[in-house]
Amino acid sequence: MRLAPLGLLTALLALAGPPAMAQLVTEQGITARNASYLELGGPGGLFSLNHEYLVRDRVSVRGGFSSWGTQSFDGIDENLDAGIVGVSRHFDASEVFGGEGRLIELGLAVIAGRYSRRSYGNVQREGSFASLSSQIGVRLQRPQGGFFLRAAATPMLHLLNGGNAFPTSSPTMAAGISLGYAY
């Protein structure tokens, strides 16, 4: 459970961080309030499709889903159907990284769904699960919108039904890259 303090710290910084930690992206703030994107890796496993809405100048809520299946050469089949709900806080990092639209994101997400893993037809794991994922990442996005790119570390911790948790029942470090459009 070494990742639990990291998730708690991320949540506190993301939701209650003092304004002195960051300035708004511009004097007017972010004007692109919606974003739709594809995330490779991250809490959705192979990929997830997501929509994000900026509820305040630096706080956004996220909803997404992931549905995929794989079969490896050694006879292991994996299937995942999951929903993702989360919240993020954006901090201006333009002075650190140079240029406009460099953001640091801290957030939390809950991932819930069904996961199965079979080896040569024999069930290894199958059933529903719920996991918690924190997010620590860098996002390149202009305040007025357009295409954006994000790279994030997403440590995960299972919450319910650990025997079926995705990707494992123990704390896991994952990462994701997102490409989308903010409008």
Side-chain angles (χ1 to χ4, degrees), residues 32-38 50-53 139-142 144-150 178-183:
R33 301 196 81 69
N34 291 284
S36 297
Y37 58 94
L38 171 69
N50 300 273
H51 183 79
E52 189 174 80
Y53 179 72
R139 181 174 179 149
L140 305 175
Q141 174 188 327
R142 292 184 179 157
Q144 64 274 19
F147 288 101
F148 74 87
L149 178 67
R150 174 179 60 200
S178 303
L179 177 63
Y181 191 80
Y183 49 98

Side-chain angles (χ1 to χ4, degrees), residues 78-160:
E78 289 187 279
N79 293 288
L80 177 78
D81 294 304
I84 303 166
V85 177
V87 63
S88 297
R89 184 165 173 137
H90 308 261
F91 299 95
D92 183 19
S94 296
E95 291 181 17
V96 176
F97 295 111
E100 181 185 40
R102 272 56 169 182
L103 302 172
I104 293 175
E105 283 190 40
L106 300 176
L108 283 176
V110 173
I111 304 94
R114 292 192 51 80
Y115 176 64
S116 68
R117 181 182 171 98
R118 297 171 185 261
S119 178
Y120 295 104
N122 298 319
V123 175
Q124 291 181 334
R125 290 190 291 178
E126 187 169 55
S128 58
F129 73 94
S131 297
L132 178 70
S133 174
S134 59
Q135 173 184 317
I136 305 163
V138 175
R139 181 174 179 149
L140 305 175
Q141 174 188 327
R142 292 184 179 157
Q144 64 274 19
F147 288 101
F148 74 87
L149 178 67
R150 174 179 60 200
T154 55
M156 296 174 63
L157 179 68
H158 76 277
L159 297 174
L160 300 173

Side-chain angles (χ1 to χ4, degrees), residues 47-70:
F47 72 90
S48 62
L49 295 174
N50 300 273
H51 183 79
E52 189 174 80
Y53 179 72
L54 194 66
V55 293
R56 293 189 355 201
D57 280 334
R58 291 175 280 184
V59 178
S60 62
V61 292
R62 162 189 186 177
F65 70 93
S66 182
S67 181
W68 53 265
T70 64

